[in-house]
Amino acid sequence: MGVEEHRIDGKVAIVTGASRGIGKAVALTLAEAGADVTVIARTKEQVEKTAHEIHQMGRKALAIPMDVSQEEKVQNAVKQTVSELGRIDILSHNAGILMFKPVAVIPGVRFPGMELLGDDIRAQTLEEWHRVMDVNLTSAFLLTQAVGPYLLKQKNGKVIIMSSNGAEQGQSLQTAYNTSKAGLCMYVRCLATEWGPYNIHVNAIAPGVINTEMVAPLIADPATMQTILDATPLGRVGNPREVALLVLFLASDASDYITGQTIIIDGGTIGRGPGV
């Protein structure tokens, strides 16, 4: 039966990055808890598969294949959600890309993690920098700006944005990614302040290493995997369902006195002291 405050029956959620990994787990978990869901991702076949699984749960699902960094498509997806599902109550933004590139290549110098790049070591280009920022950071602005008028009018809503524990870490080769994720944490704090008087809760989640396709190359490399495990007090990587359940908590009435926060779910990695 569960705790009533964790149910979201009758709610409508928009979930990005919903074709795989954390985003798909979030979409399915929200549907399991009673929501109808618009699922968004770039790959048409995969996002339609997620929608089909939601339909099999007896919930409504709307599949929209698109790039969340394109303003017009974001606006149209929100309008389509309202038109076909009736309203918007929850935005769970999970779309993101991870890129390993040095800011500059120094002949003869290899940063930690460069072994993952093989022999093709190039500095990150301006185009690549902008792509990471557009997909990871600017997309959050576009999505919240699109759903904002609906949430503000009804004076109720939950916004959950996926950051990373990398937002708290200075890591070589991940400058663009970690910078974009740190930007999301501040964006959440500012938006929570702006929208708080209208009973709209805005929070971020910062996962550590979660067993998804995006980090598969890291997990597949034995040395890198051992480094991850050594840095994690719980001694394992997380799974998408664990993150999705935290999203559900923030999307439900159970979290009604939480806003403007970044909640870390990383097995204790950030919490451990240096050298411990």
Side-chain angles (χ1 to χ4, degrees), residues 18-19 24-25 27-28 31-32 39 45-61:
S19 62
K24 180 174 183 178
L28 296 178
E32 183 183 341
V39 288
E45 181 179 351
Q46 290 180 334
V47 78
E48 288 181 347
K49 184 176 185 297
T50 302
H52 176 70
E53 292 180 41
I54 292 172
H55 283 135
Q56 289 183 313
M57 295 181 186
R59 306 307 312 173
K60 296 178 182 177

Side-chain angles (χ1 to χ4, degrees), residues 16-88:
T16 69
S19 62
R20 59 182 189 169
I22 292 174
K24 180 174 183 178
V26 169
L28 296 178
T29 300
L30 296 183
E32 183 183 341
D36 297 328
V37 188
T38 290
V39 288
I40 295 173
R42 284 178 293 177
T43 307
K44 184 175 186 291
E45 181 179 351
Q46 290 180 334
V47 78
E48 288 181 347
K49 184 176 185 297
T50 302
H52 176 70
E53 292 180 41
I54 292 172
H55 283 135
Q56 289 183 313
M57 295 181 186
R59 306 307 312 173
K60 296 178 182 177
L62 175 63
I64 303 180
M66 55 168 269
D67 185 334
V68 293
S69 68
Q70 297 181 13
E71 181 180 7
E72 185 177 354
K73 290 185 178 181
V74 168
Q75 291 283 346
N76 288 339
V78 171
K79 291 176 182 176
Q80 189 176 351
T81 297
V82 174
S83 174
E84 298 194 27
L85 299 182
R87 56 186 294 123
I88 298 171

Side-chain angles (χ1 to χ4, degrees), residues 161-212:
I161 294 176
M162 202 60 60
S163 180
S164 165
N165 71 348
E168 299 289 334
Q169 301 179 81
Q171 295 169 307
S172 57
L173 306 182
Q174 293 181 220
T175 305
Y177 178 80
N178 287 15
T179 300
S180 69
K181 294 299 186 177
L184 287 174
C185 295
M186 180 53 69
Y187 186 75
V188 159
R189 291 174 66 180
C190 294
L191 194 60
T193 301
E194 191 170 317
W195 286 0
Y198 302 92
N199 196 36
I200 301 168
H201 305 73
V202 186
N203 292 289
I205 293 175
V209 180
I210 306 298
N211 190 3
T212 66

